[in-house]
Amino acid sequence: MIETHGFEALEKTFDNFAYKDKRNIFTAAYRKATKPMVEQSKANAPLGRSGNLKRSMGMVPMKDQIGAWVGARVTGGYKGFHAHLVENGTVERFYTTKKGNKHFTGKMNPNAGYARFFQKAFDATEKQAVDTITEEWYRAIDRFIVRNKKKDDR
């Protein structure tokens, strides 16, 4: 999770805005700030047979709060359900027959080259994302003020 601190003046400015406006400003900033992180995670992710994991990587605005989730999407036609298994690996899986024979069915190695693909992307782009968020907040606020000024002038 990326946390931002030290923006007291910015927060005071936001206090005067409606919730919907705040949400739009933050979503626009988060969308641009997380783009490098999404691209890096797509580059790090294994292709797989279907390519569903790479296609599912993206940013989704939070519904109940002002914020965003970045990772594998599972709704809207995306099929990134297995992202956590590839990211973190799995334990050895097997089943036992009635005769007592154990049959090994697989294991995803958490130390494989593609494992931790999202964590690597996060670590590589975290500083860039924080810098971009601050720039985009100011740009989004400027756009909002200009747009509202035009509405008031009519």
Side-chain angles (χ1 to χ4, degrees):
M1 171 181 250
I2 297 175
E3 294 185 18
T4 54
H5 301 286
F7 300 105
E8 289 80 19
L10 189 60
E11 289 172 5
K12 287 178 185 176
T13 305
F14 277 133
D15 288 342
N16 299 329
F17 292 167
Y19 178 79
K20 180 181 173 186
D21 297 329
K22 288 182 202 178
R23 184 173 170 82
N24 289 340
I25 289 169
F26 275 102
T27 301
Y30 284 133
R31 195 171 305 282
K32 286 199 176 180
T34 58
K35 191 167 187 156
M37 192 179 301
V38 170
E39 290 173 356
Q40 185 67 38
S41 63
K42 283 183 178 184
N44 293 350
L47 181 59
R49 287 185 229 133
S50 64
N52 286 339
L53 181 59
K54 278 191 178 190
R55 277 193 298 276
S56 71
M57 300 305 291
M59 189 280 294
V60 178
M62 295 173 119
K63 292 185 185 211
D64 300 341
Q65 304 173 26
I66 296 175
W69 290 102
V70 179
R73 296 174 285 187
V74 295
T75 59
Y78 295 104
K79 300 176 183 173
F81 300 103
H82 60 295
H84 66 287
L85 298 173
V86 177
E87 173 78 5
N88 301 318
T90 61
V91 297
E92 289 186 0
R93 297 178 307 276
F94 60 89
Y95 66 94
T96 307
T97 63
K98 289 182 181 178
K99 294 182 179 179
N101 298 331
K102 287 187 177 183
H103 292 277
F104 179 72
T105 59
K107 175 182 179 178
M108 286 188 173
N109 188 352
N111 299 321
Y114 57 81
R116 302 282 184 204
F117 65 93
F118 189 73
Q119 187 63 45
K120 290 175 187 173
F122 177 81
D123 293 341
T125 59
E126 180 180 14
K127 174 92 171 84
Q128 180 183 2
V130 170
D131 294 342
T132 306
I133 284 174
T134 57
E135 293 171 17
E136 288 303 319
W137 278 344
Y138 288 117
R139 285 188 191 144
I141 289 172
D142 289 343
R143 284 192 305 264
F144 175 77
I145 292 170
V146 168
R147 186 173 64 237
N148 283 341
K149 189 170 193 266
K150 285 181 182 178
K151 285 181 183 178
D152 292 342
D153 291 343
R154 287 189 220 166

